[in-house]
Amino acid sequence: EILPSSKFEPDLYSVIVSISDVVKRKKIVESLPKNTSYATLIHPSVVMSEWVEIGAGTIITAGCILTCNIKIGEHSQLNLHTTIGHDTTLGDYFTSAPGAKISGGCVIGNQVYIATNASIKHLLNICSNTTIGMGGVVLKDIEEPGVYVGNPIRKLR
């Protein structure tokens, strides 16, 4: 049964907001009551070290590999076969599409979307509110929000 949001009782249910658009996902989470409890879903095929910190409301799908000393922000979504290298921090509302590869030592801001088969070189920083297009190759820090595409990536105007 699908109930209208007016019937939602945060004391009875845990929630997960699984909309791929990071801006819409954040808006929905912010519209829910403050005492809402958020579930975290991890597919059984995920390979993950014990040294991974996962924020509430996060979804990690089949085939993902997470090495060690990783921090994943709240309400994030790691899609099929995403790999995250050691000592990496992902902000809140992060989303990766299938096959995204993030090397070790990266710091990625809030509301970042990394599209299918994009690759991030080790030890890079990506600022909040950034989109990396499909197959994009990130070889240097991204300090300005926007949409980046290509190999190597360049900012779209």
Side-chain angles (χ1 to χ4, degrees):
E1 182 179 7
I2 298 174
L3 300 174
S5 58
S6 61
K7 301 255 185 202
F8 172 63
E9 297 180 47
D11 295 331
L12 298 179
Y13 304 102
S14 290
V15 173
I16 194 145
V17 180
S18 62
I19 295 171
S20 64
D21 183 304
V22 294
V23 174
K24 289 179 183 176
R25 187 178 336 137
K26 183 177 181 189
K27 187 174 184 177
I28 290 169
V29 168
E30 290 174 343
S31 74
L32 294 170
K34 296 293 182 208
N35 61 331
T36 300
S37 171
Y38 294 96
T40 297
L41 303 177
I42 301 171
H43 191 274
S45 70
V46 171
V47 176
M48 178 173 65
S49 84
E50 63 184 283
W51 300 286
V52 176
E53 181 181 330
I54 301 169
T58 292
I59 301 170
I60 304 175
T61 63
C64 291
I65 299 173
L66 292 84
T67 59
C68 60
N69 299 324
I70 296 170
K71 181 178 179 186
I72 301 170
E74 295 183 348
H75 309 288
S76 293
Q77 296 180 2
L78 278 62
N79 220 311
L80 301 168
H81 301 285
T82 293
T83 60
I84 310 292
H86 62 88
D87 302 302
T88 291
T89 300
L90 308 175
D92 295 337
Y93 302 96
F94 170 83
T95 301
S96 66
K101 310 293 183 218
I102 301 170
S103 295
C106 293
V107 177
I108 298 177
N110 298 321
Q111 293 180 244
V112 171
Y113 178 84
I114 298 179
T116 301
N117 291 326
S119 299
I120 315 300
K121 182 179 163 266
H122 70 287
L123 301 175
L124 293 184
N125 298 313
I126 297 176
C127 69
S128 294
N129 304 307
T130 296
T131 297
I132 307 299
M134 183 171 22
V137 176
V138 182
L139 299 175
K140 61 183 181 177
D141 288 348
I142 296 177
E143 299 173 345
E144 183 179 326
V147 177
Y148 294 80
V149 297
N151 178 3
I153 53 112
R154 69 186 189 311
K155 186 175 183 189
L156 290 180
R157 299 274 174 218

